[in-house]
Amino acid sequence: MQRTSLSLAAAAAVLGAVTAVPGAQAVPPPRSAVKPQPPSAFRPLQQSAPPVTTTVTDGVTLTSLSYGSRAVSDDRWTVHVYLPVDPDGPLASANTALGPRATADRVANALRGKGFEPRVEEVRTPSFADLRATTLGWTVRIGRYAQETGASADLARVKAAGFTGGTRYVPQDGGDFRAPQKVHVMRVDFAAFRGSLDTGFGPTLNGTEKLTDLMAATGATAGVNAQWFYNNAPGGLYVKDGRLIGSATQGRAGIRFSGGGRSFDVDTFRARVTLRAGGASTEVDGVNRIPGDVWNCGGVGGDVPTEKPQHDLKCTDTSELVRFTPEWGQPPSGAGAEAVLDAAGTVTAVNTSRGAAVPPGGSTIQATGASATWLLSHLRPGGTASVTDEVFDSRGVKVALTPDTTILQVGPSLVRDGRVSVNAVGDGIVREGPDQTFTYNWTVRANPRSMIGKDERGRLMIVVVDGRQAGYSEGLGVAQAAQLMRQLGAREAMNLDGGGSSVMATASGGIVNRPSDSTGQRSLGTVLLLRP
């Protein structure tokens, strides 16, 4: 749903808001953009083997690091029994990984009644910039097994007794500084590297491509995965060469760079896209995304169930204006209305359904619900319309969208001004509501991670940590990822898409890390490339 105005003061107020999280204590926003975590909250990862460094090209090095080790006595598999969201809900269809202590005790007692010996374990969040360390919830687990096969056998018994659950590898619970980790660090010294940092995607934004294919197509020296992607398209603010071609998740972290990466900064961003026609103006809800599908939430108004960022959650809005540019490809079809604008801003067509192609250099404005009524009332064939793009940083200052400006919104931020700072609630990686399964699995537990930053010497850092590979590399929780980036010397750092998407490659050596998907590297929405 479009809205007609948003003052910078209001935008700043939204940026400063802190969400209350069940089971967690939110704190007021800091005065500055940085509120570092206490140093005592972290322990450095310990190298278990000498680093191996190779030269990719002039000014670009790649270092492979091994941390931690497998502990024969502690590294075990376990059966993780799921809890119902409703404390009195049925156990046979429970699907949450953790919950309140009373719910965990109820499930544990029911398991004991069936002859099992469960244990109830507390899960705590680390301290974040906008959230104190606290209890996230409680889990119920059974047994400790040297191999996953043992856990799987007992899981079958648990399910046969009327419960639900899965198997978990305990070292992947997150926060264990002793767990084995394989880390790949690429450093780019622009004093010697004559190339540039760039973003890339396939023939259209509406589609995915593998990193190695995009590197081959562009002649890139190296690359890494970048943004999340939903409905086969990237999610989050995307400004490429000064053109806004991706919707913002309002207030989430991102990187802004120019000079081919020589100027690099981590910040939070908001965007405002305004459509003007016939003396009237209104705000456009999104750019190059499916109308009504607001992935990661954080839209501009009318989104359900929330307008605040919520990572990996699809909010919906039945009344939207969405702009499509030539980068998208063929826009989606459906009910509603649309206007077709040529490169000069002339309205060449107004249609009572959606799906017209985007003219070269022009755009289409698709409308649904009440927004379709607004569009049909204000745009006429032969008339003119204009679209204005504005991006604001964390201070509410407008960002100059020059041809040399690139912004890629992912997040959360990890390091700001040389200090660990993860805006977990504000960035939406702590979920609203009673079910904290996502927060537990994505934010607290260990996963493969990809990150980008800048070190004390001004060198670009691209880092991938392998994960979900028992005994080889477990991965990191978000707080540990921030700690690692600071340990590696980052002054600024931001999280990229991770999990099975985490991949790093060089033109000379191919894929550097071990992607966690059994099928290998995924097709991706956007990538970051070092181009010669």
Side-chain angles (χ1 to χ4, degrees):
M1 178 182 298
Q2 76 276 10
R3 60 189 183 204
T4 56
S5 65
L6 176 67
S7 68
L8 290 183
V14 174
L15 272 172
V18 175
T19 304
V21 180
Q25 185 178 7
V27 297
R31 287 181 178 272
S32 68
V34 178
K35 184 178 184 296
Q37 276 78 265
S40 59
F42 301 120
R43 298 185 66 174
L45 301 181
Q46 300 297 316
Q47 290 188 31
S48 56
V52 177
T53 300
T54 58
T55 298
V56 177
T57 189
D58 290 345
V60 181
T61 59
L62 174 62
T63 301
S64 294
L65 297 156
S66 296
Y67 293 99
S69 62
R70 185 169 186 172
V72 176
S73 60
D74 295 334
D75 292 1
R76 291 288 186 265
W77 291 88
T78 190
V79 174
H80 192 105
V81 183
Y82 297 156
L83 312 183
V85 175
D86 185 336
D88 299 320
L91 304 185
S93 58
N95 61 2
T96 65
L98 75 170
R101 179 64 188 260
T103 305
D105 286 342
R106 176 198 166 207
V107 172
N109 289 333
L111 285 162
R112 291 187 188 99
K114 296 290 186 177
F116 296 100
E117 297 182 3
R119 61 189 186 275
V120 176
E121 299 179 345
E122 182 184 21
V123 175
R124 292 185 61 81
T125 66
S127 177
F128 294 115
D130 55 357
L131 184 70
R132 296 188 181 100
T134 189
T135 299
L136 186 66
W138 299 80
T139 63
V140 177
R141 290 178 166 182
I142 296 172
R144 294 179 174 87
Y145 313 86
Q147 302 294 331
E148 186 178 13
T149 53
S152 296
D154 268 4
L155 175 62
R157 293 176 51 229
V158 168
K159 290 182 175 180
F163 303 87
T164 61
T167 61
R168 293 288 173 96
Y169 191 55
V170 174
Q172 293 173 13
D173 282 344
D176 184 356
F177 73 98
R178 303 166 302 174
Q181 309 290 351
K182 299 296 183 183
V183 180
H184 312 278
V185 183
M186 191 174 295
R187 295 186 193 261
V188 183
D189 184 351
F190 285 107
F193 179 61
R194 302 306 180 189
S196 61
L197 176 67
D198 195 7
T199 63
F201 52 89
T204 62
L205 282 170
N206 183 23
T208 60
E209 299 286 337
K210 292 181 177 179
L211 172 63
T212 51
D213 291 339
L214 290 171
M215 287 174 56
T218 59
T221 300
V224 68
N225 62 293
Q227 288 177 296
W228 310 291
F229 47 99
Y230 308 95
N231 296 330
N232 286 324
L237 176 65
Y238 187 10
V239 175
K240 183 175 175 62
D241 303 327
R243 285 175 46 81
L244 195 158
I245 59 173
S247 296
T249 304
Q250 307 290 17
R252 287 202 78 171
I255 54 171
R256 171 179 53 186
F257 61 89
S258 59
R262 288 159 177 81
S263 174
F264 180 96
D265 185 40
V266 175
D267 205 344
T268 56
F269 297 96
R270 302 180 63 83
R272 181 180 175 89
V273 180
T274 305
L275 172 65
R276 293 180 173 85
S281 66
T282 190
E283 186 168 12
V284 175
D285 294 80
V287 177
N288 289 330
R289 65 165 172 80
I290 304 298
D293 288 3
V294 191
W295 275 102
N296 293 332
C297 305
V300 301
D303 300 347
V304 176
T306 180
E307 294 177 16
K308 298 174 182 177
Q310 289 284 276
H311 183 59
D312 268 0
L313 179 68
K314 183 176 79 170
C315 284
T316 58
D317 189 345
T318 58
S319 175
E320 287 205 306
L321 289 171
V322 176
R323 185 189 192 205
F324 289 92
T325 69
E327 289 87 354
W328 172 266
Q330 177 60 42
S333 59
E338 70 183 0
V340 181
L341 281 62
D342 67 14
T346 300
V347 180
T348 61
V350 176
N351 304 320
T352 55
S353 62
R354 300 181 292 113
V358 180
S363 63
T364 65
I365 309 293
Q366 292 198 356
T368 59
S371 295
T373 302
W374 188 96
L375 185 144
L376 293 172
S377 299
H378 292 89
L379 278 77
R380 297 284 187 272
T384 59
S386 65
V387 178
T388 303
D389 298 328
E390 297 173 296
V391 175
F392 303 94
D393 65 17
S394 59
R395 299 169 297 165
V397 176
K398 187 185 296 187
V399 177
L401 301 183
T402 69
D404 193 31
T405 301
T406 295
I407 302 173
L408 206 64
Q409 193 178 44
V410 195
S413 62
L414 301 175
V415 179
R416 301 292 305 278
D417 296 335
R419 298 182 289 183
V420 169
S421 184
V422 179
N423 197 30
V425 176
D427 212 82
I429 63 170
V430 173
R431 277 284 169 85
E432 298 176 348
D435 183 3
Q436 291 297 313
T437 296
F438 168 83
T439 308
Y440 174 53
N441 286 335
W442 196 93
T443 305
V444 176
R445 283 181 55 79
N447 289 284
R449 305 283 178 185
S450 297
M451 298 156 284
I452 189 168
K454 179 177 66 174
D455 69 13
E456 292 98 332
R457 292 171 51 186
R459 295 176 298 181
L460 184 72
M461 302 170 60
I462 300 172
V463 179
V464 168
V465 181
D466 286 321
R468 300 177 187 165
Q469 299 175 60
Y472 171 75
S473 187
E474 312 307 345
L476 301 174
V478 169
Q480 261 197 322
Q483 172 203 359
L484 173 65
M485 288 301 286
R486 186 64 197 98
Q487 184 176 331
L488 292 171
R491 290 282 304 172
E492 302 283 329
M494 188 189 72
N495 186 68
L496 301 171
D497 188 14
S501 297
S502 285
V503 60
M504 177 189 287
T506 66
S508 57
I511 296 176
V512 172
N513 67 310
R514 293 188 188 179
S516 63
D517 285 359
S518 60
T519 53
Q521 65 168 321
R522 288 181 181 176
S523 287
L524 305 169
T526 55
V527 298
L528 284 158
L529 302 172
L530 291 178
R531 303 183 66 169

